[in-house]
Amino acid sequence: MNYTISCVAPCRENTLLEVAAGTCACGRSFAPVVRTVVCLDATVPMLRIGQQEADKEHLSNMVFVKGYAEELPFLDNSFDIVFSRLAFHHFTDVTAVFSEMVRVLKPGGKLVMIDMEAADKMLRNTEDEIETQRDPSHVKNLSKTEMLSLFETHGLAIEKCETTEMPQRLENWLALTRTPEPIQRKITERMRSELAGGEKTGFSPYVENGTICFNQKWLLMMGRKR
Protein backbone atom coordinates (compact mmCIF):
# COMPACT_ATOMS: atom_id res chain seq x y z
CA MET A 1 0.00 0.00 0.00
CA ASN A 2 2.96 2.32 0.59
CA TYR A 3 3.82 2.08 -3.10
CA THR A 4 0.26 3.02 -4.09
CA ILE A 5 0.32 6.03 -1.79
CA SER A 6 3.64 7.14 -3.28
CA CYS A 7 2.13 6.90 -6.79
CA VAL A 8 -0.93 8.93 -5.81
CA ALA A 9 1.26 11.48 -3.97
CA PRO A 10 -1.53 13.02 -1.86
CA CYS A 11 -1.19 16.39 -0.13
CA ARG A 12 -2.05 17.13 3.49
CA GLU A 13 -4.97 19.33 2.46
CA ASN A 14 -6.56 16.69 0.19
CA THR A 15 -9.96 15.12 0.74
CA LEU A 16 -10.15 11.51 -0.44
CA LEU A 17 -13.13 9.28 -1.23
CA GLU A 18 -12.75 5.50 -1.24
CA VAL A 19 -15.57 3.87 -3.24
CA ALA A 20 -16.75 0.35 -2.26
CA ALA A 21 -14.36 0.59 0.66
CA GLY A 22 -15.24 -2.67 2.42
CA THR A 23 -13.42 -2.64 5.76
CA CYS A 24 -11.67 0.59 4.71
CA ALA A 25 -8.12 -0.78 4.75
CA CYS A 26 -7.03 1.56 1.96
CA GLY A 27 -8.75 4.56 3.48
CA ARG A 28 -7.02 3.88 6.79
CA SER A 29 -3.66 3.77 5.00
CA PHE A 30 -4.29 7.16 3.39
CA ALA A 31 -5.74 8.81 6.51
CA PRO A 32 -2.40 9.87 8.06
CA VAL A 33 -1.34 11.75 4.92
CA VAL A 34 -4.53 13.64 3.94
CA ARG A 35 -7.00 16.00 5.61
CA THR A 36 -10.12 13.81 5.38
CA VAL A 37 -10.97 10.30 4.15
CA VAL A 38 -14.55 9.36 3.31
CA CYS A 39 -15.18 5.61 3.02
CA LEU A 40 -18.35 4.56 1.20
CA ASP A 41 -19.74 1.04 1.06
CA ALA A 42 -23.17 -0.57 0.73
CA THR A 43 -22.52 -3.01 3.60
CA VAL A 44 -22.82 -1.52 7.06
CA PRO A 45 -21.12 -4.38 8.98
CA MET A 46 -17.97 -3.92 6.88
CA LEU A 47 -17.98 -0.17 7.50
CA ARG A 48 -18.34 -0.85 11.23
CA ILE A 49 -15.22 -3.00 11.12
CA GLY A 50 -13.44 -0.18 9.32
CA GLN A 51 -14.56 2.32 11.93
CA GLN A 52 -13.49 0.05 14.81
CA GLU A 53 -10.05 -0.40 13.24
CA ALA A 54 -9.75 3.35 12.64
CA ASP A 55 -10.57 3.96 16.32
CA LYS A 56 -7.85 1.50 17.35
CA GLU A 57 -5.38 3.38 15.14
CA HIS A 58 -6.57 6.75 16.55
CA LEU A 59 -7.55 8.01 13.09
CA SER A 60 -9.92 10.90 13.76
CA ASN A 61 -10.18 12.24 10.18
CA MET A 62 -12.30 9.44 8.71
CA VAL A 63 -16.00 9.47 7.80
CA PHE A 64 -17.97 6.28 7.09
CA VAL A 65 -20.96 6.46 4.73
CA LYS A 66 -23.44 3.81 3.66
CA GLY A 67 -24.17 4.24 -0.04
CA TYR A 68 -24.03 2.79 -3.51
CA ALA A 69 -21.23 3.36 -5.99
CA GLU A 70 -23.75 3.79 -8.80
CA GLU A 71 -25.34 6.78 -7.03
CA LEU A 72 -22.78 8.53 -4.85
CA PRO A 73 -24.47 10.75 -2.22
CA PHE A 74 -22.09 13.67 -2.74
CA LEU A 75 -22.12 16.96 -4.62
CA ASP A 76 -20.22 17.48 -7.87
CA ASN A 77 -16.53 18.37 -7.57
CA SER A 78 -16.26 17.39 -3.89
CA PHE A 79 -13.01 15.37 -3.65
CA ASP A 80 -9.37 15.85 -4.58
CA ILE A 81 -8.82 12.08 -4.90
CA VAL A 82 -11.36 9.35 -5.69
CA PHE A 83 -10.05 5.84 -5.13
CA SER A 84 -11.29 2.30 -5.76
CA ARG A 85 -9.37 -0.92 -5.11
CA LEU A 86 -10.46 -4.42 -6.19
CA ALA A 87 -14.10 -3.40 -6.54
CA PHE A 88 -14.88 -2.93 -10.24
CA HIS A 89 -15.11 -6.66 -10.94
CA HIS A 90 -18.17 -6.68 -8.62
CA PHE A 91 -20.10 -3.98 -10.53
CA THR A 92 -22.75 -4.81 -13.12
CA ASP A 93 -22.61 -1.31 -14.64
CA VAL A 94 -18.99 -0.15 -14.53
CA THR A 95 -19.70 2.91 -16.68
CA ALA A 96 -22.32 4.21 -14.23
CA VAL A 97 -19.92 3.79 -11.30
CA PHE A 98 -17.01 5.39 -13.11
CA SER A 99 -19.19 8.32 -14.22
CA GLU A 100 -20.20 8.94 -10.61
CA MET A 101 -16.58 8.84 -9.49
CA VAL A 102 -15.67 11.42 -12.13
CA ARG A 103 -18.67 13.58 -11.20
CA VAL A 104 -17.63 13.96 -7.56
CA LEU A 105 -13.96 14.53 -8.43
CA LYS A 106 -12.70 18.11 -8.47
CA PRO A 107 -11.17 19.50 -11.68
CA GLY A 108 -7.46 18.71 -11.47
CA GLY A 109 -8.19 15.86 -9.06
CA LYS A 110 -6.95 12.28 -9.38
CA LEU A 111 -9.06 9.19 -9.98
CA VAL A 112 -7.27 5.98 -8.98
CA MET A 113 -8.50 2.51 -9.90
CA ILE A 114 -6.86 -0.79 -8.97
CA ASP A 115 -8.39 -4.05 -10.11
CA MET A 116 -7.61 -7.44 -11.57
CA GLU A 117 -6.93 -7.53 -15.29
CA ALA A 118 -8.94 -10.03 -17.33
CA ALA A 119 -7.37 -13.11 -18.86
CA ASP A 120 -6.69 -13.26 -22.58
CA LYS A 121 -9.78 -12.92 -24.76
CA MET A 122 -10.20 -16.65 -25.46
CA LEU A 123 -10.17 -17.50 -21.72
CA ARG A 124 -12.04 -14.56 -20.19
CA ASN A 125 -15.37 -16.35 -19.85
CA THR A 126 -13.75 -19.40 -18.27
CA GLU A 127 -11.81 -17.25 -15.80
CA ASP A 128 -14.95 -15.32 -14.82
CA GLU A 129 -16.91 -18.57 -14.46
CA ILE A 130 -14.38 -19.88 -11.93
CA GLU A 131 -14.20 -16.51 -10.14
CA THR A 132 -18.00 -16.51 -9.77
CA GLN A 133 -18.03 -20.08 -8.47
CA ARG A 134 -15.54 -19.01 -5.81
CA ASP A 135 -17.35 -15.71 -5.03
CA PRO A 136 -20.92 -15.25 -6.36
CA SER A 137 -20.57 -11.45 -6.03
CA HIS A 138 -17.98 -11.48 -8.84
CA VAL A 139 -19.36 -10.14 -12.13
CA LYS A 140 -16.41 -9.92 -14.52
CA ASN A 141 -12.82 -8.77 -14.76
CA LEU A 142 -12.12 -5.90 -17.14
CA SER A 143 -9.39 -5.97 -19.73
CA LYS A 144 -6.68 -3.33 -19.78
CA THR A 145 -8.26 -1.88 -22.93
CA GLU A 146 -11.65 -1.60 -21.22
CA MET A 147 -10.15 0.15 -18.20
CA LEU A 148 -8.25 2.59 -20.41
CA SER A 149 -11.45 3.28 -22.33
CA LEU A 150 -13.26 4.30 -19.12
CA PHE A 151 -10.61 6.94 -18.44
CA GLU A 152 -10.42 8.15 -22.02
CA THR A 153 -14.16 8.38 -22.68
CA HIS A 154 -14.60 10.40 -19.48
CA GLY A 155 -11.90 12.84 -20.53
CA LEU A 156 -9.32 11.94 -17.88
CA ALA A 157 -5.65 12.41 -18.67
CA ILE A 158 -3.95 9.10 -17.85
CA GLU A 159 -0.89 9.58 -15.63
CA LYS A 160 -0.27 5.98 -14.56
CA CYS A 161 -0.99 2.58 -16.09
CA GLU A 162 0.93 -0.27 -14.48
CA THR A 163 0.40 -4.02 -14.19
CA THR A 164 1.84 -6.02 -11.28
CA GLU A 165 1.91 -9.82 -11.00
CA MET A 166 0.48 -10.88 -7.63
CA PRO A 167 1.25 -14.51 -6.65
CA GLN A 168 -1.65 -16.38 -5.05
CA ARG A 169 -1.80 -19.75 -3.28
CA LEU A 170 -4.95 -21.53 -4.44
CA GLU A 171 -5.93 -22.79 -0.97
CA ASN A 172 -5.56 -19.32 0.56
CA TRP A 173 -7.46 -17.71 -2.31
CA LEU A 174 -10.39 -20.10 -1.82
CA ALA A 175 -10.35 -19.73 1.97
CA LEU A 176 -10.46 -15.93 1.76
CA THR A 177 -14.03 -15.97 0.42
CA ARG A 178 -15.08 -18.95 2.57
CA THR A 179 -15.94 -20.86 -0.58
CA PRO A 180 -17.91 -24.05 0.27
CA GLU A 181 -15.81 -27.22 0.31
CA PRO A 182 -17.55 -28.91 -2.68
CA ILE A 183 -16.84 -25.85 -4.86
CA GLN A 184 -13.27 -25.64 -3.56
CA ARG A 185 -12.73 -29.25 -4.63
CA LYS A 186 -14.25 -28.58 -8.05
CA ILE A 187 -12.05 -25.54 -8.70
CA THR A 188 -8.96 -27.35 -7.43
CA GLU A 189 -9.66 -30.25 -9.78
CA ARG A 190 -9.89 -27.87 -12.74
CA MET A 191 -6.51 -26.40 -11.82
CA ARG A 192 -4.99 -29.87 -11.48
CA SER A 193 -6.45 -30.84 -14.84
CA GLU A 194 -4.79 -27.86 -16.52
CA LEU A 195 -1.48 -28.72 -14.87
CA ALA A 196 -1.81 -32.22 -16.36
CA GLY A 197 -2.34 -30.80 -19.85
CA GLY A 198 -6.11 -30.48 -19.78
CA GLU A 199 -8.47 -27.59 -20.50
CA LYS A 200 -7.08 -24.14 -19.71
CA THR A 201 -8.72 -22.09 -16.97
CA GLY A 202 -7.26 -18.65 -17.64
CA PHE A 203 -5.30 -18.82 -14.37
CA SER A 204 -2.14 -20.52 -15.70
CA PRO A 205 -1.57 -22.47 -12.47
CA TYR A 206 1.82 -23.77 -11.38
CA VAL A 207 3.13 -25.79 -8.45
CA GLU A 208 5.44 -24.25 -5.87
CA ASN A 209 6.60 -26.20 -2.82
CA GLY A 210 3.91 -28.78 -3.48
CA THR A 211 1.12 -26.18 -3.54
CA ILE A 212 -0.96 -25.01 -6.52
CA CYS A 213 -0.37 -21.32 -7.18
CA PHE A 214 -1.23 -18.77 -9.86
CA ASN A 215 -0.45 -15.13 -10.57
CA GLN A 216 -3.11 -12.45 -10.76
CA LYS A 217 -2.48 -9.31 -12.80
CA TRP A 218 -3.39 -6.21 -10.81
CA LEU A 219 -3.68 -3.04 -12.84
CA LEU A 220 -3.11 0.35 -11.21
CA MET A 221 -4.49 3.18 -13.30
CA MET A 222 -4.58 6.87 -12.40
CA GLY A 223 -6.07 9.74 -14.35
CA ARG A 224 -6.45 13.46 -13.76
CA LYS A 225 -9.70 15.32 -14.34
CA ARG A 226 -9.18 18.17 -16.78
Side-chain angles (χ1 to χ4, degrees):
M1 196 62 206
N2 288 339
Y3 176 72
T4 300
I5 293 172
S6 70
C7 290
V8 178
C11 299
R12 276 286 179 188
E13 64 270 21
N14 285 163
T15 299
L16 180 145
L17 169 66
E18 183 182 7
V19 176
T23 58
C24 314
C26 294
R28 284 184 276 120
S29 296
F30 273 99
V33 295
V34 298
R35 184 178 65 187
T36 306
V37 173
V38 178
C39 290
L40 175 135
D41 200 271
T43 309
V44 170
M46 297 186 80
L47 287 174
R48 285 193 182 128
I49 292 171
Q51 187 171 26
Q52 289 166 4
E53 292 301 315
D55 289 344
K56 289 179 187 177
E57 297 171 36
H58 305 291
L59 300 171
S60 58
N61 62 334
M62 297 187 68
V63 180
F64 304 89
V65 178
K66 180 188 176 182
Y68 297 96
E70 297 85 354
E71 192 173 349
L72 296 175
F74 308 110
L75 298 176
D76 297 357
N77 309 322
S78 293
F79 298 94
D80 301 290
I81 302 166
V82 178
F83 185 93
S84 174
R85 180 180 180 271
L86 300 181
F88 265 76
H89 61 272
H90 294 295
F91 299 141
T92 55
D93 189 345
V94 295
T95 301
V97 175
F98 200 89
S99 296
E100 278 291 274
M101 291 171 66
V102 174
R103 178 183 66 78
V104 302
L105 183 65
K106 293 178 182 178
K110 299 171 186 175
L111 191 153
V112 185
M113 174 182 173
I114 299 174
D115 208 0
M116 297 176 295
E117 186 178 340
D120 293 339
K121 188 174 182 180
M122 296 296 292
L123 294 171
R124 286 186 66 175
N125 290 342
T126 304
E127 180 192 49
D128 281 326
E129 176 196 345
I130 293 170
E131 288 273 14
T132 304
Q133 287 176 350
R134 171 200 175 240
D135 177 6
S137 70
H138 177 93
V139 177
K140 71 171 186 176
N141 291 335
L142 298 176
S143 69
K144 184 176 181 178
T145 299
E146 288 168 333
M147 292 188 202
L148 283 168
S149 179
L150 285 171
F151 281 78
E152 291 166 350
T153 57
H154 287 84
L156 298 180
I158 295 170
E159 296 189 349
K160 188 88 172 173
C161 181
E162 180 178 285
T163 301
T164 303
E165 297 261 340
M166 302 293 288
Q168 306 287 338
R169 290 166 59 95
L170 178 61
E171 58 187 42
N172 294 348
W173 181 71
L174 292 169
L176 186 64
T177 46
R178 300 178 182 176
T179 303
E181 283 292 334
I183 297 175
Q184 288 196 34
R185 290 195 294 269
K186 184 177 180 180
I187 292 173
T188 301
E189 183 52 41
R190 292 183 75 168
M191 297 288 189
R192 286 178 177 152
S193 176
E194 178 173 356
L195 285 165
E199 183 181 355
K200 292 186 180 299
T201 60
F203 287 81
S204 301
Y206 57 91
V207 176
E208 188 173 273
N209 298 323
T211 301
I212 299 176
C213 303
F214 60 92
N215 292 337
Q216 288 180 330
K217 292 181 178 180
W218 287 17
L219 184 68
L220 187 160
M221 196 169 293
M222 181 169 69
R224 192 179 292 273
K225 186 173 181 179
R226 295 186 173 94

